[in-house]
């Protein structure tokens, strides 16, 4: 018989948030270690680490009263935090779209002649940075989707739009390479090396 798979960190985070929302009360660490293991299947040894991650993400509040430290999280505040976070993510997505639009225009301009090769190199570098920002943004979205998947459905659609836009720019880059090959008879390897295009550069899946 195969060994039962343990809970992932995100599963533990989700279950602990469910515990707080169900109880609507304040707890000390020892109480959480005991009750979360009993009711949510979170091992007592991992409760502190899970709790710390939720506090760091401002999903769980904490305060010291006398000599005791208490933790709590109520649905109303969690909803406000998610809305604020989603609003910030939305703004970041809009900024990313703007940057990508500018990069797409720059790629078109870079096709105009060999003298623009320096611009093309800069465009590719900027595109790489934009993709890194997009990936970081996706990680942020993934971190919150376990807590409220319905609220983030719209964000998933935005991420899909961003992916499709990135793939359209990949088309532009491949078109630029084809244009250089036709006009100057360069090999792919030479073009990739000249413009710093990685060997595994391809469409996003």
């Amino acid at each position: 018989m195969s060994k039962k798979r343990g809970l992932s960190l995100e599963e533990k985070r989700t279950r602990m948030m469910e515990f707080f929302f169900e109880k609507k009360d304040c707890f000390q660490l020892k109480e959480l270690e005991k009750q979360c293991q009993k009711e949510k299947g979170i091992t007592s040894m991992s409760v502190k680490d899970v709790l710390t991650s939720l506090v760091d993400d401002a999903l769980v509040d904490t305060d010291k009263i006398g000599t005791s430290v208490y933790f709590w999280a109520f649905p109303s505040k969690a909803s406000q935090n998610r809305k604020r976070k989603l609003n910030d993510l939305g703004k970041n997505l809009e900024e990313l779209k703007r940057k990508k639009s500018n990069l797409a225009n720059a790629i078109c301009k870079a096709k105009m002649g060999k003298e623009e090769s320096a611009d093309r190199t800069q465009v590719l570098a900027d595109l790489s940075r934009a993709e890194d920002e997009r990936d970081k943004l996706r990680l942020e979205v993934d971190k919150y989707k376990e807590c409220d998947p319905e609220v983030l459905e719209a964000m998933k659609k935005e991420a899909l739009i961003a992916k499709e836009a990135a793939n359209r720019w990949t088309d532009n880059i491949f078109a630029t390479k084809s244009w250089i090959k036709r006009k100057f008879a360069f090999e792919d390897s030479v073009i990739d090396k000249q413009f710093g295009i990685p060997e595994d550069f391809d469409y996003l899946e």
Side-chain angles (χ1 to χ4, degrees), residues 191-205:
I191 298 173
D192 290 345
K193 182 176 180 180
Q194 177 68 25
F195 295 103
I197 301 174
E199 293 182 1
D200 60 351
F201 180 79
D202 204 347
Y203 296 94
L204 297 176
E205 295 296 335

Side-chain angles (χ1 to χ4, degrees), residues 9-192:
L9 176 59
E10 284 305 318
E11 288 172 329
K12 292 176 182 178
R13 283 164 55 94
T14 300
R15 292 192 181 193
M16 187 172 290
M17 291 304 298
E18 289 175 351
F19 174 83
F20 278 117
F21 291 167
E22 291 166 1
K23 299 299 183 181
K24 297 183 178 66
D25 203 352
C26 301
F27 299 90
Q28 293 181 293
L29 178 59
K30 291 295 184 182
E31 295 173 320
L32 290 171
E33 289 175 340
K34 180 178 180 180
Q35 294 187 42
C36 284
Q37 177 167 321
K38 179 180 179 181
E39 299 184 26
K40 296 298 179 179
I42 305 172
T43 59
S44 59
M45 294 292 291
S46 64
V47 165
K48 184 176 181 180
D49 290 338
V50 176
L51 184 61
T52 299
S53 75
L54 293 173
V55 171
D56 290 342
D57 289 339
L59 295 174
V60 171
D61 291 315
T62 182
D63 199 4
K64 186 174 183 179
I65 302 175
T67 58
S68 301
V69 179
Y70 289 88
F71 301 90
W72 68 92
F74 300 116
S76 58
K77 181 175 180 180
S79 178
Q80 293 174 1
N81 287 341
R82 283 195 294 272
K83 288 179 180 178
R84 183 167 56 252
K85 187 64 178 181
L86 288 173
N87 184 56
D88 292 341
L89 292 174
K91 291 179 179 178
N92 289 341
L93 276 175
E94 288 301 319
E95 177 64 14
L96 188 57
K97 287 181 182 179
R98 184 188 66 78
K99 290 180 179 179
K100 288 182 176 180
S101 178
N102 291 340
L103 289 172
N105 291 334
I107 288 174
C108 291
K109 180 180 178 182
K111 293 180 180 180
M112 296 174 63
K114 186 178 180 181
E115 68 279 4
E116 297 291 334
S117 61
D119 288 342
R120 286 196 293 274
T121 301
Q122 183 61 46
V123 165
L124 292 175
D126 290 343
L127 179 58
S128 178
R129 284 194 292 270
E131 289 176 338
D132 288 341
E133 290 182 26
R134 180 206 58 204
D135 291 340
K136 291 178 182 178
L137 196 57
R138 281 179 174 172
L139 289 176
E140 285 292 312
V141 173
D142 289 341
K143 185 169 64 176
Y144 282 86
K145 71 180 180 181
E146 295 292 338
C147 296
D148 197 344
E150 292 183 2
V151 174
L152 287 176
E153 185 62 33
M155 296 302 297
K156 292 180 182 179
K157 293 179 181 179
E158 291 287 351
L160 178 60
I161 292 172
K163 172 185 173 182
E164 292 173 347
N167 281 334
R168 286 196 297 273
W169 300 336
T170 300
D171 278 334
N172 288 336
I173 292 174
F174 283 138
T176 301
K177 287 181 61 177
S178 296
W179 176 82
I180 294 173
K181 287 171 66 177
R182 289 196 306 272
K183 186 168 184 178
F184 302 105
F186 288 163
E187 296 293 334
D188 281 333
S189 59
V190 175
I191 298 173
D192 290 345

